[in-house]
Amino acid sequence: MSELTNQNVPNLPDDLNGVHIHFVGIKGTGMAALVEIFVHNGAIITGSDVAERFYTDEILEKLGIKPLEFSADNITDDIQYVVYSSAYKLDVNPDLIEATKRKLPCLLYTQALGSYSNLSYSCGVCGVHGKTSTTGLVGTILKHIDDIPSQILAGSVINSFGGTCTYTSPLIPTVAPQDKKTKSIFVAETCEYQRHFMSFFPKKIILTSVEPDHEDYYPTYEDIRDAFVDYICRLPMFGELIYCADDAGAVETALLAYNKRPDLHLVAYGEAAGGDYKLSFGQVKNERNEFTLGIFDKTLALKVPGKHEVKDAAAAVALVCQLIRYFGKHPADYAQKIAQGLLEFSGGKRRSEIVRHFTTPLGNDVLVLDDYGHHPTAIKTTLEGYRQFYSGRKIILDFMSHTYSRTQALLEEFAASMDTADVVILHKIYSSARENAADFTITGRTLYDKTVEHQRAAGTTASRHNAIYYTEEILDAKSIAQMELEKKLPPEYPDGYLFVTMGAGDNWKLGRALYD
């Protein structure tokens, strides 16, 4: 039985105060977030990772934690538990080899998260798209609701959390064991890859979307869909599933889960939903998306671009309102606070993140955004959101595809996903440690050729591209990008350029290198 499916996993103690836990791969986003949660609960934390500096180093430094380089010497006599990233193996990493030799309890990150989730009234946010934004939105709204004790863990830094991945309500005391008799809410982003979310103990689940992804682990749509069904079936008797009525995969998954578990309470949100969480889009005004939900009489607004973000907001509001009801209160009494929370949300790191704003030597205004979108659906919806939100700007997209298996399986979809951009720059495929490039015939140039082919076939009626470029290496595109940014803008783009770096790779470096 593999590490990921082994159910004989030690539980963390209910009271973490004074417990020494060593994190292997501590700089990972999820790992650093869990460290924040555990430190709040009084745990003593040490950790190890590679020497390269990551943005999570700043989070760890604020906690007074200095990551060590991997070594068996890191495993000291006072360590009681080890939590490790799935990127490292028990029989390869020196810290883990030593911990195993000492017979210390070793938990994967997802197992540690799952163990912690069993201490509270926990809610899992899942789906192929929108997990991080939805989790961040839930937390930002709950920040404004001061009578519900809550703790949030997102998969990236959320701006409204104060530059961290977590938020803990002042109602949850520092360095105190969880009281299982007290209603305390824990909301976490839960990942479908390798069925990691099966370690989590949800009382409510948000399901944003289901479609093919992670083809190295889920070869077919049915494989990934069935994983979500199994996760939903982890809900307790009369547990609640909040799902997107506008996503065909989410609807199918919800119905399949309900057929297995007719006790479940299904709550739909979106344009196709009825009742409390029926979504109606309004206008984009002053760089705000306005919308309404059935539950409130007032217009709500969001300061981040894209209809997909509005749908994430609808999911977040639905969960928050259902939690308010769980506490025996009325959502209508919290309408103003919910609206304030929505307006405070400004995204997170690599989620439509504004990284620069400058003027070129020839006087063109340039706004640089970076986004983690790496699936064709996410690319398409995000770019469409930018087109509406920044209608006065010409869009230049620099995209780097992530994983050979995903690019190969969704090649046609990738080629068609970038139609909204005026200019497209592509690169080599950003590989994954779990893949061997030699096993694939596809390359980044394959995607370039397919995108050019799609653009020619579609013409100007379906595709806006007036230029498509390819450079193998990211920074080799710097001169191309700067050449495009210096071109005279047509009248329909009075505001300047929007330069977007997108993908799960490291092409974000290009946006920061322009005109340096």
Side-chain angles (χ1 to χ4, degrees), residues 244-246 269-274 277-281 293 307 311 314:
C244 183
D246 302 329
Y269 69 90
E271 291 180 281
Y277 309 115
K278 178 174 178 55
L279 171 65
S280 297
F281 288 99
L293 289 172
K307 286 188 174 181
K311 290 185 180 182

Side-chain angles (χ1 to χ4, degrees), residues 375-391:
H375 186 283
T377 301
I379 297 164
K380 183 176 186 296
T381 56
T382 301
L383 289 174
E384 288 173 349
Y386 294 163
R387 174 61 63 197
Q388 185 179 33
F389 214 68
Y390 301 106
S391 58

Side-chain angles (χ1 to χ4, degrees), residues 16 35 111 144 161 186 199 201 239 316 331 387 485 499 516:
L16 294 176
V35 166
Q111 294 166 342
H144 288 261
F161 289 179
F186 178 53
S199 296
F201 290 87
R387 174 61 63 197
L485 290 170
F499 189 88
D516 62 359

